[in-house]
Structures are given as C-alpha cells and as structure tokens.
Amino acid sequence: MSLREALRIPSREITDETVYRDRRRIVGALAASGALGLAGCAKADAPPPPPASKIDPARMRAGFTTNETRTTYQDVTTYNNFYEFGTGKADPANAPRTLRTSPWSVAVGGQCAKPGRLSLDDLLKGLKPEERVYRHRCVEGWSMVIPWLGVPLGDVLKRFEPTSKAKFVAFTTLADRKQMPGLSYPALDWPYREGLRIDEAMHPLALLATGIYGKPLLQQNGAPLRLVLPWKYGFKSIKSIVAITFVEHMPFTSWNDEASDEYGFFSNVNPAVDHPRWSQKTERRIAGTGSKLFADRIPTRLFNGYAEQVGSMYAGLDLRKWF
Ligand code: MTE
C-alpha cells in the first residue's frame, strides 16, 4: 500500500482539477485576509520555541551507526517512495532515467547573511562525506537500515550564516514535468516541500545525503542530494533538493498540507501516537530477508531509537499535539 493509497481519497480526485485549484486559491485568499478567522489561529498554532539543548559529541556518535542487519542495496533501490516518479513502490526504480543530476544547483536564501545559488560541488566544498548507518522508518509501517553517505546538514547550512530570525528551514524538490513524469498527476501540491525547526536542521544526526552503500544516490533515492532524518518518518527526508530557505515561521510541508490530521509538522517517530487510521506501535523491517521482503513485526521505538540523541530537543513539548 503506497502512502497515497493509504490516504483517504482527497477532494481533488473527486472534484474537477480546475475547481479544486480554484477553491484552494479562494480559501488561501480568504485566510490571508483574515475572513476565515484563521490569521489569529495560525499564530496560536505555532509550536513553542525549542528548549536550549546541549550536544554531547560522544552521545551523538553512538547514533551514527548500528549493528542491526542492513537492508540489501537491491531492496533499498527498488522499494521506494518518490511520487514525482509514480506512486507505486516499484515505479521510481522502473522509471526512465530522465532526471538530469548534472549540472545541479541549489538556491539558498531567506533569513541568512549570505544567500546564493550554488552548484552541488560548491555547496559541499571541503566537506568530506561520511558513512552513517541509520534506521529509516516509513510512516506506512515498514523500515530499513541503510548505510548512507553524506555530510552533516548543519555544516552546510552554517555557511550561509542564518540570522536570529531563521527559526525554521524550508526545503523544496525540483518540479520539472520533463524530468519527472509523476508531476503530470496531482498526487500532491507540487513541488514537494518539507521543513524543519532550525535546531533539528542543525542537529548532528541530520544528514544531507549524496550516496548509499558508498555509491552515488540513484534517481529513485533522491539524486543528487536529499535529507536523511533518522528520528523522523521517512517523508520528512525530502529528495532531489533544489532550494533551501531560512524562514521565521513554520513552513508549508506537502504531507501536512495534504492531510493535516494525519501528518504533523514534526513527524517524529512515536509508537505512542497512532496514525488516525493505523497503529504506529510496530514496524516490519526490510533487511537481510532475501526473497521475503518483509520480516516479522518488531516494536517501534520513540524517536526511532534515537531518543538519547534527539530527545532533549523536544523536552516539554506535548508530542500528541505536536505530532
Ligand atoms: N521526496 C520527494 N521529493 N518526493 C517523495 O515522494 N517520498 C518520501 C521521502 N522523500 C518523497 C520524498 C517518503 S514518503 C519516504 S518514506 C522516503 O522519501 C523514501 O525514501 P527511499 O525511497 O529512499 O527509501
């Protein structure tokens, strides 16, 4: 079952596309004008500022790898979610290689002293990619263990000197119909967008990944660069990033826009907070199982087992409200 299939049928599929888009535009305009009484609501709905949490390097390193059985390269590269290339699990791997990953540039802007559009090489200049073996838990209930290759996201972001107004970071995927056949269908409100609180983005576990198993990322895994946030559900790990923007307020995120009661902004893995339509208490690990794609169910852990590393960022936060 794909994430899309798992969702209730969205209004756009039962409403004519133009009517649907128009309704979105009108609701947006009314909200902006305050006519729907949402203006105040948005403010009240901002999460509390993060607590001051200190990073203990030794504790962080303990999260950089795991002895758990790794998911095979074959499974990591053939069982994917990348709706720009189709909504089926095999679609992204089977799609024609239409994504042009070179040249590639990323526009970084917003609340920072040094905005700019950089080539991929310049963006990562001087940073040595490291291997991080992380658990990867999809909101749908399956999980993998993947050796990623990447650089700490915070090391890249610091280069742009975010200002004190940079409370969040917004990320955007490429949206080019010629390169991404899935964009011809309104599966999501394209481009795919994600966001993090600034302390989450700066956290040592947050990775800007360029490879898997020592090889450059394939198209289906989000070439040439994507996020990896092992303590959050997989959909936060946005692929094929072309823009990074420092913002003051909680940014738009694609899945939250699609169904806000089902996909919260934080989306931290949490077995105690069920998805409205299924439990999140257990998961099926895709790892070392050969032809048996799904292994038996195992318990899901708070923050996907990274509570030691990331828990302090959420001290005092009501994880049911801010799911
Ligand atoms: N990024 C973009 N641009 N488009 C997507 O459809 N899917 C997300 C995330 N990033 C997605 C995306 C979801 S739902 C998951 S679970 C992970 O990518 C899957 O990553 P993987 O296919 O490399 O395992």
Side-chain angles (χ1 to χ4, degrees):
M1 183 171 56
S2 75
L3 198 52
R4 195 78 193 85
E5 286 152 4
L7 285 165
R8 66 171 78 87
I9 299 171
S11 49
R12 73 183 62 169
E13 272 171 19
I14 43 177
T15 313
D16 172 72
E17 172 70 3
T18 8
V19 175
Y20 168 79
R21 294 277 172 213
D22 210 44
R23 201 183 62 208
R24 255 183 194 233
R25 191 181 53 74
I26 293 165
V27 171
L30 285 173
S33 72
L36 295 181
L38 294 177
C41 179
K43 209 168 184 178
D45 257 341
S53 62
K54 70 172 188 351
I55 304 287
D56 169 352
R59 185 180 291 183
M60 293 306 142
R61 272 196 300 280
F64 291 173
T65 192
T66 166
N67 292 329
E68 287 155 86
T69 308
R70 298 171 184 202
T71 302
T72 61
Y73 184 73
Q74 168 75 11
D75 284 346
V76 176
T77 55
T78 54
Y79 192 83
N80 302 102
N81 275 331
F82 198 173
Y83 282 18
E84 288 86 336
F85 293 96
T87 55
K89 290 284 174 282
D91 291 350
N94 291 334
R97 310 279 100 176
T98 44
L99 185 68
R100 275 195 319 273
T101 55
S102 177
W104 190 270
S105 65
V106 180
V108 186
Q111 305 289 352
C112 63
K114 295 190 167 160
R117 177 181 284 280
L118 275 73
S119 70
L120 188 57
D121 283 351
D122 284 340
L123 186 78
L124 304 177
K125 203 179 221 143
L127 298 171
K128 202 170 143 355
E130 18 179 313
E131 190 179 76
R132 298 276 184 88
V133 187
Y134 282 159
R135 289 179 286 277
H136 175 61
R137 168 66 155 83
C138 181
V139 71
E140 297 164 286
W142 49 268
S143 61
M144 300 188 183
V145 176
I146 304 178
W148 299 101
L149 204 59
V151 300
L153 175 62
D155 288 353
V156 173
L157 297 183
K158 275 181 219 149
R159 301 185 154 175
F160 300 90
E161 299 180 13
T163 69
S164 59
K165 282 192 171 167
K167 307 269 193 249
F168 294 87
V169 193
F171 300 85
T172 310
T173 294
L174 176 75
D176 179 353
R177 280 184 182 225
K178 292 197 283 300
Q179 299 183 58
M180 299 169 141
L183 294 181
S184 303
Y185 307 94
L188 288 169
D189 189 6
W190 311 114
Y192 195 102
R193 279 157 287 173
E194 257 311 333
L196 297 170
R197 217 170 52 184
I198 189 84
D199 58 323
E200 300 180 311
M202 293 294 180
H203 192 278
L205 250 63
L207 203 68
L208 199 49
T210 56
I212 288 173
Y213 272 102
K215 299 177 193 155
L217 284 177
L218 296 180
Q219 175 174 292
Q220 58 266 41
N221 291 105
L225 88 162
R226 65 171 293 172
L227 288 191
V228 177
L229 305 148
W231 71 100
K232 293 181 179 282
Y233 291 116
F235 66 88
K236 297 296 282 184
S237 294
I238 183 172
K239 297 177 168 183
S240 306
I241 298 165
V242 290
I244 302 177
T245 317
F246 296 99
V247 294
E248 193 172 357
H249 302 290
M250 196 155 75
F252 175 103
T253 66
S254 293
W255 282 105
N256 184 252
D257 168 69
E258 188 61 38
S260 59
D261 55 330
E262 304 195 2
Y263 309 102
F265 175 79
F266 285 94
S267 286
N268 292 316
V269 175
N270 189 346
V273 178
D274 287 338
H275 184 280
R277 289 178 293 119
W278 61 82
S279 162
Q280 293 291 22
K281 289 187 178 55
T282 62
E283 65 201 60
R284 290 190 297 173
R285 180 68 54 83
I286 305 173
T289 49
S291 57
K292 187 177 164 223
L293 186 61
F294 286 112
D296 296 337
R297 289 200 166 270
I298 53 169
T300 286
R301 291 193 277 159
L302 179 62
F303 301 120
N304 204 21
Y306 299 96
E308 263 247 79
Q309 287 79 26
V310 304
S312 63
M313 286 194 291
Y314 309 104
L317 193 71
D318 178 351
L319 297 178
R320 288 195 176 275
K321 178 168 162 60
W322 300 105
F323 61 97

